[in-house]
Amino acid sequence: MTQQPLENVRIGAFDLMPSPEEIHARVPLSEKASDTVFAGREVIKAILDRKDPRIFIVVGPCSIHHTGMALEYARRLKVVADEVSDRIVVVMRVYFEQPRTT
């Protein structure tokens, strides 16, 4: 009796993921992006250390499969984030094409 394949039966191929080093080499982080990440982390740290009285909320869709949609979401969220920035720091989080949703 031949055992039938039970795993990965709908997988056409596997592609190796590039290492973080390869990604950094292919898509270098700009100085502006680096400054944005650093500033955001500092704000969150200040809130967690209770040096900043605001709260922060992390919002975002479960998964986005189209970068244009992600940019549209971010633009709309930025408008709201600016309106409440004196009380709330809004952090957008997003996953692109989560494996469990494909």
Side-chain angles (χ1 to χ4, degrees), residues 6-7 14 18 29 35 39-40 44-45 47 69:
L6 300 177
E7 295 181 12
F14 286 97
L29 191 62
D35 291 345
I44 299 303
K45 183 178 183 302
I47 292 171
M69 293 171 70

Side-chain angles (χ1 to χ4, degrees), residues 67-80:
T67 55
M69 293 171 70
L71 289 171
E72 175 65 20
Y73 182 92
R75 287 184 187 106
R76 290 177 180 216
L77 186 60
K78 174 83 167 92
V79 171
V80 175

Side-chain angles (χ1 to χ4, degrees), residues 21-82:
E21 293 79 16
E22 290 173 305
I23 293 172
H24 286 293
R26 290 182 196 173
V27 187
L29 191 62
S30 71
E31 187 174 342
K32 182 178 179 181
S34 177
D35 291 345
T36 299
V37 171
F38 182 81
R41 288 177 178 173
E42 289 297 302
V43 168
I44 299 303
K45 183 178 183 302
I47 292 171
L48 292 172
D49 290 341
R50 298 180 187 230
K51 295 176 182 172
D52 186 323
R54 296 178 292 175
I55 63 169
F56 73 91
I57 59 171
V58 180
V59 298
C62 179
S63 181
I64 288 182
H65 302 278
H66 187 278
T67 55
M69 293 171 70
L71 289 171
E72 175 65 20
Y73 182 92
R75 287 184 187 106
R76 290 177 180 216
L77 186 60
K78 174 83 167 92
V79 171
V80 175
D82 289 344

